[in-house]
Amino acid sequence: MTTDSRVADLPGHERSRYRFLVLFMLLLVYCLSYVDRQIIGILAVPIKADLQLSDTQLGLMGGFAFAIFYTGMGIPIARLADRFNRVRIITAALTLWSGFTAVCGLATGFWSLFLARLGVGVGEAGGVAPSFSIVSDYFPTEQRGRALAVLTLALPIGSAIGLFIGGVLAAEYGWRTAFIVMGLIGIAVAPVFLLVVREPVRGRLDPAPLAGAKLRPSFGDVLAHVRRKPSFWWLSIASAMASMLSYGLAFWLPAFMSRSRGLDLVQTSQFLAAITLIGGVIGIVAGGWLSDHLGRTNRAFYALIPSVAFLIGMPFLLIGVSLTSLPLIFIVLMIPQAMGVLWTGPSVSAIQHLAPASMRATASSIYLFITNLVGLGVGTLAFGAISDALTAEYGDAALRYAIIICAVVLYPLAVLFYWLASRSLTADWEGGSQPAIR
């Protein structure tokens, strides 16, 4: 347990204001992580041309190369985060992944870029679970859905920044410069984060632990705890399906717009950055608000809301990738973009409530391990491999068909698994099944 209790010593009104500064700093760091993991999507076209790569190689580099260590290192780092200073862990992680992002700009071939992306994954493994845990120690139960939704705004904001700035820098100065610049920005932010954010007292906003509960549980204790909660596993699998869609589309839509709709690099970056930002912010804010509002009376809504969102999003994506009018594509794709990220706030918030404070970072890392190993590691690769398999017959249209095939498989699976999670979520909720009405 941390010995840094400075925040707990602040007067209530100061602590109330300060927690929003903490949330902003966590959001900033999380944005940088999404910039660094998603920028490769907009740079895929010039990278493919420069390094002579196939779509399968691009998929490996954009997903699997990042995911293999991102997921593998997440659990041991989360174990440290459940015991030691989380702010310092996040600072070190930010420095590491930003450094490797800059190194990506020095790559000379597939393997050197692949290895640099491995390094980005190692660094980012230390940022997510500790951030979720810190938010849970600054915001009480009834506000966590919204607070975590604000944190997950990093997904659309960071992705949009990566698309826009990455495209502009690559067009003006080359794709290597885009990697180097974004990496150096992250390195500069790291010491500011360390100076501003204070480590909170762990579990201070949660109910008192039950008599006999371990303050420093082992990994086996955490695994045994979540093993008894079926909703944890259904949420993890559902989020993996959702991540396969979100990461796959984020990585491949820039190439789709270039190949099938004839946009240049800057046009593609501007077009998709706007869709990602507007649709993403709407979806994440709606997900956080709906889950906190409806979840006050029934915890099952934390899973039912994402299930309904994916049911709505599927037909609009299929229509969007079949249109040729850019204004219509923009309007139609806004809907699956919003529905495709709405799951993040409710899912992450629910996971935080399926384990006590002493297990929270580790439980989150198990969830993230499943979500990202499947979602990020397999999703991006699956889109690319299907595209390569169809290229001989369909040419540039192969990527469009790959997107359609993945969509008609993954959307229904996400709907199903989130619905299954909703059936046991209320009973599995930590601290009692009946929510407090406020």
Side-chain angles (χ1 to χ4, degrees):
M1 184 174 294
T2 180
T3 58
D4 187 347
S5 59
R6 290 174 295 165
V7 172
D9 294 333
L10 290 172
H13 66 284
E14 292 184 16
R15 186 164 63 246
S16 178
R17 290 197 299 265
Y18 176 73
R19 63 182 176 161
F20 293 106
L21 175 59
V22 171
L23 185 60
F24 170 78
M25 292 302 299
L26 290 169
L27 173 63
L28 175 60
V29 172
Y30 207 11
C31 279
L32 289 172
S33 78
Y34 269 100
V35 169
D36 292 349
R37 74 176 74 175
Q38 297 289 8
I39 191 173
I40 198 166
I42 191 63
L43 302 181
V45 173
I47 289 173
K48 179 176 182 177
D50 190 12
L51 302 183
Q52 298 297 300
L53 304 180
S54 67
D55 279 353
T56 301
Q57 286 178 309
L58 282 173
L60 280 169
M61 185 177 57
F64 185 76
F66 175 87
I68 185 170
F69 278 109
Y70 177 66
T71 55
M73 295 295 294
I75 292 176
I77 292 175
R79 296 295 297 151
L80 295 176
D82 272 337
R83 288 166 166 75
F84 301 106
N85 189 296
R86 291 162 289 182
V87 173
R88 293 172 185 168
I89 290 172
I90 295 171
T91 302
L94 172 60
T95 304
L96 184 62
W97 88 61
S98 298
F100 274 107
T101 297
V103 170
C104 288
L106 306 178
T108 57
F110 170 74
W111 283 110
S112 56
L113 188 52
F114 184 90
L115 292 173
R117 294 297 293 173
L118 288 179
V120 175
V122 171
E124 293 202 16
V128 183
S131 295
F132 292 166
S133 179
I134 288 175
V135 168
S136 296
D137 286 331
Y138 273 104
F139 291 86
T141 300
E142 69 276 7
Q143 297 177 0
R144 282 179 193 159
R146 282 164 287 179
L148 288 165
V150 170
L151 182 60
T152 53
L153 282 174
L155 195 162
I157 295 173
S159 298
I161 292 172
L163 284 167
F164 182 77
I165 296 181
V168 171
L169 287 175
E172 290 292 326
Y173 305 105
W175 62 268
R176 298 178 187 278
T177 300
F179 275 125
I180 293 170
V181 169
M182 296 315 302
L184 293 177
I185 290 173
I187 292 173
V189 169
V192 178
F193 179 83
L194 182 62
L195 289 172
V196 171
V197 179
R198 302 173 182 177
E199 176 75 4
V201 173
R202 203 178 305 272
R204 66 192 179 92
L205 298 179
D206 293 308
L210 298 175
K214 290 186 179 181
L215 294 179
R216 303 186 68 169
S218 67
F219 179 74
D221 293 329
V222 180
L223 198 58
H225 179 84
V226 298
R227 188 183 293 126
R228 298 189 297 269
K229 296 179 180 286
S231 62
F232 178 91
W233 303 103
W234 290 128
L235 279 172
S236 298
I237 297 170
S239 297
M241 300 300 103
S243 291
M244 286 184 72
L245 275 168
S246 61
Y247 283 120
L249 291 172
F251 186 85
W252 288 109
L253 277 178
F256 165 77
M257 296 303 299
S258 174
R259 297 178 195 178
S260 299
R261 299 298 176 260
L263 300 186
D264 63 28
L265 191 61
V266 174
Q267 289 171 330
T268 298
S269 69
Q270 294 172 340
F271 187 85
L272 291 179
I275 291 176
T276 300
L277 182 62
I278 298 171
V281 169
I282 290 172
I284 287 177
V285 171
W289 183 83
L290 285 170
S291 62
D292 272 349
H293 180 68
L294 298 177
R296 293 166 64 189
T297 56
N298 188 346
R299 304 301 194 195
F301 278 109
Y302 281 86
L304 288 174
I305 290 167
S307 184
V308 172
F310 282 110
L311 193 63
I312 294 170
M314 178 178 171
F316 288 97
L317 177 69
L318 297 178
I319 294 169
V321 296
S322 300
L323 295 171
T324 56
S325 166
L326 289 179
L328 284 178
I329 293 173
F330 186 90
I331 294 170
V332 172
L333 285 186
M334 193 76 69
I335 297 172
Q337 174 62 36
M339 296 299 101
V341 298
L342 192 144
W343 63 276
T344 54
S347 298
V348 171
S349 181
I351 291 294
Q352 299 305 296
H353 292 96
L354 296 179
S358 60
M359 298 182 178
R360 191 168 284 143
T362 302
S364 294
S365 72
I366 297 171
Y367 162 79
L368 291 167
F369 178 87
I370 298 169
T371 300
N372 290 303
L373 185 63
V374 177
L376 182 55
V378 180
T380 307
L381 175 60
F383 280 74
I386 295 172
S387 176
D388 275 342
L390 298 176
T391 296
E393 184 173 356
Y394 296 103
D396 285 343
L399 183 54
R400 172 175 168 264
Y401 289 113
I403 291 172
I404 291 172
I405 290 169
C406 289
V408 298
V409 172
L410 296 173
Y411 270 105
L413 289 176
V415 172
L416 172 63
F417 290 129
Y418 272 116
W419 175 77
L420 288 171
S422 73
R423 300 175 67 194
S424 56
L425 188 56
T426 298
D428 291 343
W429 200 268
E430 197 72 19
S433 61
Q434 296 302 317
I437 307 299
R438 294 176 181 266

